[in-house]
Amino acid sequence: MKDCEYSQISTHSSSPMESPHKKKKIAARRKWEVFPGRNKFFCNGRIMMARQTGVFYLTLILILVTSGLFFAFDCPYLAVKITPAIPVVGGILFFFVMGTLLRTSFSDPGVLPRATPDEAADLERQIDIANGTSSGGYRPPPRTKEVIINGQTVKLKYCFTCKIFRPPRASHCSLCDNCVERFDHHCPWVGNCVGKRNYRFFYMFILSLSFLTVFIFAFVITHVILRSQQTGFLNALKDSPASVLEAVVCFFSVWSIVGLSGFHTYLISSNQTTNEDIKGSWSNKRGKENYNPYSYGNIFTNCCVALCGPISPSLIDRRGYIQPDTPQPAAPSDGIAAYGATQSQSDMCDQDQCIQSTKFVLQAAATPLLQSEPSLTSDELHLPGKPGLGTPCASLTLGQPTPPSSMPNLTAEAALTDVLPLKEEHVGHQFLTPEEAPSPPRMLAGSPLAHSRTMHVLGLASQDSLHEDSVRGLVKLSSV
């Protein structure tokens, strides 16, 4: 026998008929790509900033240029004349300032996620129920709730943009269009909001920047004084013109930076926010019983909580993937027509039920008729409200009894040919419907046929295709 060689057949076809069945891979989108607020995202959502970042770049340029000039023109002279520790300390302060600035600008300040449409609708329904809007007259529902925090009543305001009741100390930023938890203020110098998650870095930034500004200004003046002692004041300015520029920038900025640092030191020691202080939320002018419920009563404790407490995780999950819609559950595979089943499955179920109904009709027609029972003609079979032999078959109701096991098993074709409406030439014969046919002696009231109330008969659309033999056999069975 010759060896048969088999060639491997590729199961992957490149015919155009298979192209519609191939599923297209849709790239999963991240949440920052569809974020509703007015923010900018960089590095695949890792960096989050406000949309107006022009002032932030100005802050960055001022710090870099001033520090660069100081390290380039002043530090070499000061390291030789005074001590090499000056550039070291200046470098540490510079890197600390840049680190805290970038951490404040590029992080999530504590944005609260907006309500989904279902959550917003449910909240609106709760507001309507609580305010009884169904009563006569239009009355806008109040958009505040009251909670008690450490014995002090705090009002929670409703945000019409985010569709939520804002938590205590939260506020909506009009520039970023977000509700921020423990909202302090929107700082254009850092290009971001200042809130619960980045407030400590903002405070460390302005505090370290005030130290760096004072440090640079002090040693620039020292550099100019040392040079002026050797060559004169005018020659010292000509020899190091960068020192003049550094002194001017530090002189005009040190007052605002140091003052801002002192103000936020006061806020941290009393556990307040800039927003609360400006509004006077806990001022004694509102009443003697008005006090700050968030203060621990100790300056040291308030500072430790603000600067050393745990940082809460971000609530918006900006780098998470958008979840697709949940698919609908498939229909059960046990042959039972369930909710949501296809039309073909329901048609198959109706056909089986019609065959069972046909078996009931054959058994009822085979029972002997009593002489005292009134008979029905074919004209009465089509009365309104009574199921006739020519009516279409409908589905059986739940609880329909099964035919007796002694009945012969009939196929669908036999059922269609044996139970048929009469032709016009056999109008004189008398028939009974399955409901009015009397039961034989062996079938008592508890029999399956006695309990069936909704039996229907399968009929054909045309009466001209009847078989004479089938009709005659049915007439003989009914006239016994």
Side-chain angles (χ1 to χ4, degrees):
M1 296 179 65
K2 297 182 178 180
D3 297 335
C4 296
E5 296 181 357
Y6 297 94
S7 60
Q8 186 177 4
I9 300 176
S10 176
T11 58
H12 300 282
S13 175
S14 60
S15 61
M17 296 299 293
E18 287 189 358
S19 57
H21 301 285
K22 293 182 179 179
K23 296 182 180 179
K24 296 181 179 179
K25 293 183 178 179
I26 302 176
R29 302 182 66 185
R30 294 185 183 269
K31 294 181 180 180
W32 66 267
E33 298 178 350
V34 293
F35 188 71
R38 292 193 291 264
N39 294 89
K40 287 183 178 181
F41 296 89
F42 305 95
C43 298
N44 198 15
R46 293 178 176 86
I47 297 176
M48 178 181 181
M49 298 184 66
R51 186 168 296 181
Q52 296 83 7
T53 55
V55 183
F56 164 73
Y57 296 130
L58 176 61
T59 305
L60 204 62
I61 291 173
L62 287 175
I63 296 174
L64 292 175
V65 170
T66 305
S67 301
L69 292 177
F70 174 73
F71 290 121
F73 295 96
D74 296 309
C75 285
Y77 182 85
L78 295 173
V80 173
K81 295 294 182 179
I82 302 177
T83 175
I86 294 177
V88 175
V89 175
I92 294 174
L93 287 174
F94 170 76
F95 284 110
F96 192 82
V97 167
M98 292 302 299
T100 54
L101 172 63
L102 298 180
R103 181 65 174 81
T104 306
S105 303
F106 295 163
S107 62
D108 172 23
V111 176
L112 295 172
R114 301 190 181 188
T116 61
D118 294 338
E119 294 173 349
D122 183 68
L123 188 58
E124 292 287 344
R125 184 165 50 253
Q126 293 178 8
I127 294 174
D128 294 341
I129 294 174
N131 294 275
T133 55
S134 59
S135 60
Y138 174 77
R139 180 184 177 185
R143 299 292 177 171
T144 58
K145 286 185 178 181
E146 292 184 354
V147 295
I148 298 176
I149 300 176
N150 293 331
Q152 184 75 16
T153 303
V154 179
K155 289 185 178 181
L156 306 182
K157 295 183 179 180
Y158 180 81
C159 181
F160 289 90
T161 303
C162 301
K163 305 296 181 182
I164 60 172
F165 278 99
R166 292 192 289 262
R169 315 187 81 177
S171 183
H172 191 88
C173 178
S174 58
L175 296 177
C176 296
D177 197 21
N178 296 315
C179 279
V180 181
E181 194 173 6
R182 200 187 180 276
F183 177 76
D184 192 87
H185 70 287
H186 181 90
C187 183
W189 296 97
V190 300
N192 202 349
C193 288
V194 179
K196 183 178 181 179
R197 300 190 69 250
N198 64 348
Y199 179 76
R200 68 177 59 182
F201 301 104
F202 171 77
Y203 175 74
M204 289 188 289
F205 161 67
I206 58 176
L207 186 64
S208 60
L209 182 61
S210 61
F211 280 114
L212 178 63
T213 305
V214 172
F215 181 84
I216 292 177
F217 181 74
F219 282 101
V220 164
I221 298 299
T222 302
H223 179 207
V224 172
I225 292 175
L226 292 177
R227 280 187 175 273
S228 62
Q229 291 178 355
Q230 296 177 356
T231 60
F233 181 74
L234 295 179
N235 294 329
L237 296 179
K238 292 180 181 179
D239 293 339
S240 60
S243 299
V244 179
L245 180 61
E246 297 170 30
V248 172
V249 173
C250 292
F251 177 79
F252 285 103
S253 59
V254 68
W255 309 107
S256 59
I257 296 174
V258 173
L260 188 61
S261 301
F263 174 69
H264 280 278
T265 302
Y266 157 73
L267 293 178
I268 287 180
S269 62
S270 59
N271 201 347
Q272 293 188 77
T273 63
T274 303
N275 188 37
E276 294 171 349
D277 184 76
I278 292 175
K279 293 181 179 179
S281 301
W282 317 122
S283 175
N284 294 330
K285 295 180 181 180
R286 293 195 173 188
K288 296 181 179 179
E289 298 181 355
N290 190 33
Y291 59 92
N292 184 7
Y294 307 106
S295 177
Y296 292 91
N298 187 354
I299 296 177
F300 180 76
T301 305
N302 290 334
C303 294
C304 290
V305 169
L307 301 178
C308 305
I311 300 176
S312 59
S314 178
L315 300 178
I316 55 176
D317 188 23
R318 57 187 183 273
R319 298 195 69 247
Y321 291 98
I322 300 175
Q323 298 296 332
D325 295 336
T326 305
Q328 297 293 334
S333 59
D334 55 354
I336 300 176
Y339 179 78
T342 58
Q343 185 66 27
S344 60
Q345 292 175 342
S346 60
D347 294 341
M348 293 176 63
C349 182
D350 293 342
Q351 183 179 0
D352 295 338
Q353 293 172 352
C354 292
I355 295 175
Q356 298 293 337
S357 301
T358 306
K359 294 179 182 181
F360 281 109
V361 175
L362 289 178
Q363 183 181 5
T367 59
L369 301 178
L370 300 178
Q371 297 297 331
S372 61
E373 293 289 339
S375 61
L376 298 176
T377 61
S378 61
D379 296 333
E380 297 177 359
L381 297 176
H382 301 280
L383 293 177
K386 293 184 178 182
L389 294 177
T391 57
C393 178
S395 59
L396 293 176
T397 59
L398 296 178
Q400 184 69 26
T402 57
S405 59
S406 61
M407 182 181 296
N409 188 12
L410 300 178
T411 60
E413 296 181 359
L416 294 176
T417 57
D418 290 343
V419 183
L420 296 172
L422 293 176
K423 297 180 68 175
E424 294 180 359
E425 58 182 355
H426 300 285
V427 173
H429 295 283
Q430 298 175 354
F431 291 89
L432 288 179
T433 61
E435 296 179 354
E436 300 180 359
S439 302
R442 62 183 178 86
M443 300 184 67
L444 301 178
S447 61
L449 186 59
H451 290 284
S452 61
R453 296 182 180 178
T454 56
M455 293 186 295
H456 304 280
V457 183
L458 175 64
L460 298 178
S462 176
Q463 295 182 357
D464 297 334
S465 61
L466 304 177
H467 299 285
E468 294 291 339
D469 295 338
S470 302
V471 175
R472 290 175 182 174
L474 185 58
V475 171
K476 290 179 181 180
L477 290 175
S478 61
S479 61
V480 175

